[in-house]
Amino acid sequence: MNLSEIYARVQPVMQAVQQEGDAALLRFTTQFDGVELQHIAVSDIEKAQAAGMLSNELKAAIEQAAANIRFFHSKQLAPAEVVETMPGVRCWRKSLGIERVGIYVPGGTAPLFSTVLMLAVPAQLAGCKEIVLCTPPQKDGTVHPAVLYSAQVAGVSQIFKAGGAQAVAAMTYGTESIPAVSKIFGPGNQYVTAAKMLAQQAGIPIDMPAGPSEVCVMADESANPKYVAADLLSQAEHGADSQVLLVATPDFNMQALQEELAAQLSRLPRNAMAAAALENSTAVVLANIEDMLALVNEYAAEHLIISMNNATAIAEQVINAGSVFIGHLSPESVGDYASGTNHTLPTNGYARMYSGVSIDSFVKKITYQQLTPEGLKTIAPTVIAMAEAEGLEAHANAVRVRL
């Protein structure tokens, strides 16, 4: 399906939610998710029951991941630094959290509760006053308990049963249940991505255009085919539209890789999806590092794994990638869940100009300046001369009258 066909399907959904609110959300949930809901908001009882439905092992894992994400992202917070550009002219910049942000958490083929942590934790650190979370309901009309528990750990209380383009529309325009937000975050399928792009046209900024997941693996003779196969399959199992690219040197053991892919694929519960993704995937063999880097930087992968000798030195030459995993013991899965870095990353080549989600994604930055009498006197000739040269006499006069 091409882009125009996707937009043609998504636009009526966006318009219906804008015009009908909750009624449209309920109708689309029945139509697209096969679930008839009575209420869109997750109840306090549902939230309270979530913890009891998870193993202690999973709860501990969620809490550890949240702690790592919080620690890594907290280091991105910086106090305002006052700079005196001239004697008596003080300037500084202050970060303030966006007051109300929306988080979309996919739940179609898998409940991505890790996305709750990746988005809500930095939003909370940034000082966002309200975090609105939308996620598709399961077939029984509930939200997966791991999503609810992760929201609890991350301090999110506004949770709604809405998925797909209709959830993005609800956060864009607001409904009786779901408040309109100032910025929308979160990955999703092609319909969610299209809805986010339409939301942006409606004046609501988004984190980035994020489509199907991608991984690029660079491998040489030192790479373990078993590890490389596992890395390729870890992305392929996201869905049939996932992109998998291998860029290898001639001495990489491609035969062993084929054998490992077949063996590991046969054991995967989601092997049909992974196999479909591999059908559309590519392996490229190149003789030298320069050519490999040229291809990798042009591709601008969401996830780049460097399974090579001198991986650290090679990583220094990467200029386009969402997140880089250096060496044989750095699987992409750790970034997806718990190393602390964010897994909400640009795809489809957007890593050439977009960054992954960080504290900066959730803040607006205001600049300030304050002048003393000495500062005004010192800077006045510069401002007056420039304003007069541009023909803006009132600008010049705003300085002149104060002298």
Side-chain angles (χ1 to χ4, degrees):
M1 188 181 302
N2 62 42
L3 199 57
S4 61
E5 291 176 313
I6 295 169
Y7 277 111
R9 292 190 179 193
V10 169
Q11 277 183 316
V13 172
M14 299 282 285
Q15 291 167 355
V17 173
Q18 183 182 16
Q19 294 164 6
E20 303 173 45
D22 283 355
L25 284 180
L26 293 170
R27 185 171 72 252
F28 289 133
T29 301
T30 302
Q31 180 181 342
F32 299 135
D33 300 314
V35 180
E36 291 193 17
L37 297 176
Q38 300 300 316
H39 304 286
I40 294 171
V42 173
S43 68
D44 290 339
I45 293 174
E46 290 175 283
K47 296 172 193 172
Q49 292 173 338
M53 300 169 71
L54 302 177
S55 68
N56 289 334
E57 181 183 26
L58 179 54
K59 285 186 286 188
I62 289 171
E63 289 163 12
Q64 181 63 70
N68 289 356
I69 294 164
R70 187 172 290 111
F71 183 68
F72 178 78
H73 286 75
S74 68
K75 298 302 180 182
Q76 299 167 16
L77 295 167
E81 181 181 356
V82 178
V83 177
E84 195 168 44
T85 57
M86 298 176 74
V89 180
R90 299 168 65 246
C91 303
W92 66 98
R93 189 169 75 155
K94 181 179 178 182
S95 295
L96 295 168
I98 299 169
E99 291 186 86
R100 183 189 288 152
V101 296
I103 291 175
Y104 182 75
V105 177
T109 60
L112 299 185
F113 59 89
S114 57
T115 297
V116 179
L117 303 178
M118 293 291 175
L119 297 174
V121 169
Q124 192 179 50
L125 285 170
C128 300
K129 293 179 181 177
E130 287 187 65
I131 303 171
V132 176
L133 191 157
C134 287
T135 191
Q138 302 182 108
K139 292 302 180 184
D140 62 359
T142 66
V143 171
H144 195 283
V147 172
L148 296 180
Y149 187 74
S150 298
Q152 177 183 319
V153 169
V156 179
S157 57
Q158 297 188 74
I159 310 170
F160 300 95
K161 301 172 185 177
Q166 61 268 29
V168 175
M171 291 188 283
T172 301
Y173 303 113
T175 72
E176 297 90 330
S177 298
I178 301 176
V181 302
S182 298
K183 189 173 182 179
I184 297 174
F185 295 79
N189 62 21
Q190 56 192 355
Y191 299 107
V192 170
T193 301
K196 287 171 66 179
M197 300 300 280
L198 290 171
Q200 194 164 234
Q201 292 177 22
I204 303 300
I206 62 173
D207 47 1
M208 71 193 78
S213 194
E214 306 165 351
V215 69
C216 174
V217 178
M218 299 176 71
D220 64 9
E221 77 282 0
S222 68
N224 186 326
K226 182 177 290 188
Y227 297 174
V228 174
D231 288 334
L232 296 174
L233 289 169
S234 72
Q235 286 305 294
E237 74 171 352
H238 270 295
D241 56 356
S242 295
Q243 293 189 27
V244 176
L245 173 64
L246 172 64
V247 182
T249 57
D251 45 16
F252 173 68
N253 194 337
M254 200 69 75
Q255 179 60 39
L257 173 67
Q258 296 285 2
E259 294 170 1
E260 279 295 335
L261 282 171
Q264 294 183 34
L265 182 63
S266 67
R267 298 192 293 268
L268 292 179
R270 294 162 66 89
N271 57 35
M273 286 186 187
L278 289 179
E279 283 292 319
N280 297 316
S281 298
T282 302
V284 180
V285 177
L286 294 169
N288 60 70
I289 300 297
E290 291 74 19
D291 289 342
M292 294 175 76
L293 280 165
L295 174 57
V296 165
N297 283 322
E298 181 63 26
Y299 181 60
E302 177 188 19
H303 307 100
L304 173 62
I305 302 172
I306 306 176
S307 293
M308 302 178 71
N309 288 316
N310 302 317
T312 301
I314 293 168
E316 289 296 318
Q317 300 177 69
V318 173
I319 57 172
N320 294 324
S323 192
V324 181
F325 301 81
I326 303 172
H328 304 305
L329 300 180
S330 303
E332 182 271 331
S333 304
V334 299
D336 263 358
Y337 290 109
S339 66
T341 62
N342 209 289
H343 78 195
T344 309
L345 301 164
T347 64
N348 200 31
Y350 283 106
R352 286 191 289 269
M353 72 290 290
Y354 280 88
S355 306
V357 163
S358 67
I359 288 289
D360 283 348
S361 307
F362 294 94
V363 299
K364 54 195 176 183
K365 300 187 179 185
I366 303 174
T367 56
Y368 300 80
Q369 45 264 297
Q370 185 177 39
L371 278 66
T372 64
E374 179 194 11
L376 180 63
K377 184 178 180 180
T378 302
I379 204 171
T382 298
V383 176
I384 291 170
M386 293 179 72
E388 288 179 342
E390 289 191 343
L392 299 175
E393 187 58 33
H395 279 66
N397 196 51
V399 173
R400 196 181 288 117
V401 296
R402 286 173 163 82
L403 295 176

